[in-house]
Amino acid sequence: MIWLVLAEAALETVPEALRAHPSVLADVKRKGTPPGKLLLDTNYHHSAMASLPGAEKRGRPDIVHFSLLAAMNTPLNAFFKKLRVCVHVMYPVERIIQVDPATRIPRSINRFEGIMGNLLSGKKQPTTGDDAPLFTIENMTLATFLSRFDPARIHAFSTTGKLRSFDDALPAIGNGCSEGDSDFAVIIGGFQGGHFEGQWMAKVPPENVHSIAPLPLDAWTVVARVVYMVEEAIANAARNPSCALPSNEK
Amino acid sequence: MIWLVLAEAALETVPEALRAHPSVLADVKRKGTPPGKLLLDTNYHHSAMASLPGAEKRGRPDIVHFSLLAAMNTPLNAFFKKLRVCVHVMYPVERIIQVDPATRIPRSINRFEGIMGNLLSGKKQPTTGDDAPLFTIENMTLATFLSRFDPARIHAFSTTGKLRSFDDALPAIGNGCSEGDSDFAVIIGGFQGGHFEGQWMAKVPPENVHSIAPLPLDAWTVVARVVYMVEEAIANAARNPSCALPSNEK
């Protein structure tokens, strides 16, 4: 199974300290959303965010929206059934959102923001036909989340990584998923500017930090490409099963 | 150069006949957009669209938005500089929108819809630093647009196509782009349901209609994958230049 984590994602409700700012009050009025459920958004709260630590990595719910749209309706999820998508949020505390694989991400950003506002503020969630929640959220650091993975199977994507080194990891991922018994974590930044900063980075072997392009890509493009690369690796593994390899000979 | 065409795209202003419908009037009031610039949207005008011919393929501006976001900020455009993106719209008449390669697609759907509403209704457009318009629109059928391409270099993507047959076309596309002298058209449906219907389909050799997945994909996922596949083909061609192939020996 591939656990795709959108890490340090730019998704949070407006911090308490900013809720009296005129730009936030105007947005509350315009959207009719209670301040506790309003998502921080650089488009609308730019002036309020000037004093916010790490502002360049915050307030981009659209990044999470597009990234989930790019991940969910793919063969890796819907056909191979080898994908679990998580969103790691940082504020006000570290939490992990898990997306049920049957979830149809709403195409409307307004509807998506409504669901995320409810989720992050602890309100009732939409459910699947058999009443399973489509999104679940848990107080958990990403370091803790990653501790159940074999470190060799944790991969992160960053412009600081080695260009194209993920290609070398793909055959093992394809075989591991094809045989159905291995969990891999693939970690993609869910923010616009800056780099990964969390202590969880200590869980990622340096050789497993990959760059996949000669220029910075949007998060949703990294998601789309990594999902496709893994699918191809699984398809290749299915065509050339590892049981035919010498290491598996009896 | 790769000419990526989002064909029969679900992008249009609300047709005249629907402008008095209560759902449209309510949306005009809510958004403060003049009816002539309001984009048809199944989210808001579903009841008004019941009588509209081909309604299942219309009223999804988000498909065009996400697809452009998936195409523009990619190595194929920004690094290799081998991509031109066009949107083919059908209503009220066939037109082709060309996107300047330097365009940064606005991440906000509201802002994108504002620009498209102006463009489709003939209003003033945003420009680049040197006053070139970011989007240009021209009355032209897709059949006419395609007539300047070598038919062998026109490819379309459809669930009715042959699975994975595009793989066989990629080496020639990679070589053709790498050497810089060939134009290829890649045509992707810019709508949600249904199939291509236009007379332009006669311009596409049947063997150049490809399927790239075992299930229907969203348009933006097809765009992301095709762009990536072409990039890889160009990178492969650069590593193995065709001048080293027997056919090019002196």
Side-chain angles (χ1 to χ4, degrees), chain A:
Chain A
M1 190 66 71
I2 301 292
W3 294 79
L4 189 157
V5 182
L6 209 59
E8 304 182 7
L11 181 74
E12 63 183 299
T13 52
V14 175
E16 291 265 359
L18 269 51
R19 289 187 191 163
H21 191 279
S23 69
V24 173
L25 293 174
D27 199 29
V28 163
K29 191 173 170 190
R30 194 176 61 85
K31 292 181 179 154
T33 306
K37 294 185 182 183
L38 187 69
L39 298 186
L40 187 69
D41 192 323
T42 56
N43 251 1
Y44 303 108
H45 316 135
H46 189 73
S47 57
M49 289 174 67
S51 61
L52 211 57
E56 69 163 359
K57 286 177 67 182
R58 301 170 71 172
R60 290 289 307 271
D62 61 299
I63 290 178
V64 177
H65 185 222
F66 296 152
S67 296
L68 295 186
L69 281 168
M72 296 301 292
N73 187 26
T74 55
L76 187 61
N77 182 39
F79 184 78
F80 292 112
K81 303 198 183 299
K82 296 289 186 187
L83 181 66
R84 291 292 178 276
V85 178
C86 303
V87 182
H88 165 240
V89 297
M90 304 273 283
Y91 303 98
V93 293
E94 270 192 83
R95 288 181 286 179
I96 306 276
I97 300 168
Q98 273 201 42
V99 186
D100 185 276
T103 305
R104 295 169 65 113
I105 304 299
R107 67 178 177 90
S108 152
I109 182 75
N110 294 336
R111 171 125 178 77
F112 179 74
E113 290 190 358
I115 293 171
M116 289 297 117
N118 280 334
L119 182 71
L120 294 169
S121 63
K123 296 302 181 300
K124 197 168 169 293
Q125 288 305 306
T127 56
T128 59
D130 44 355
D131 270 357
L134 298 180
F135 301 92
T136 51
I137 189 164
E138 197 174 354
N139 280 9
M140 185 189 284
T141 67
L142 184 49
T144 302
F145 177 86
L146 292 175
S147 61
R148 68 182 179 81
F149 290 86
D150 174 350
R153 290 179 174 156
I154 302 176
H155 298 269
F157 297 86
S158 164
T159 53
T160 65
K162 188 176 169 197
L163 190 60
R164 301 196 77 96
S165 59
F166 188 54
D167 292 356
D168 303 328
L170 281 166
I173 294 175
N175 283 325
C177 283
S178 194
E179 290 161 9
D181 56 352
S182 306
D183 282 324
F184 296 86
V186 298
I187 305 171
I188 295 167
F191 48 85
Q192 185 64 12
H195 294 286
F196 291 132
E197 295 169 300
Q199 297 194 331
W200 61 268
M201 279 292 283
K203 300 273 184 188
V204 187
E207 68 274 19
N208 282 6
V209 181
H210 313 290
S211 163
I212 59 167
L215 74 175
L217 300 179
D218 295 311
W220 55 85
T221 296
V222 181
V223 168
R225 291 180 176 213
V226 167
V227 166
Y228 176 69
M229 291 161 98
V230 170
E231 273 175 32
E232 289 293 289
I234 292 175
N236 285 336
R239 280 193 288 268
N240 307 294
S242 60
C243 56
L245 294 176
S247 62
N248 282 290
E249 279 176 4
K250 290 283 184 296

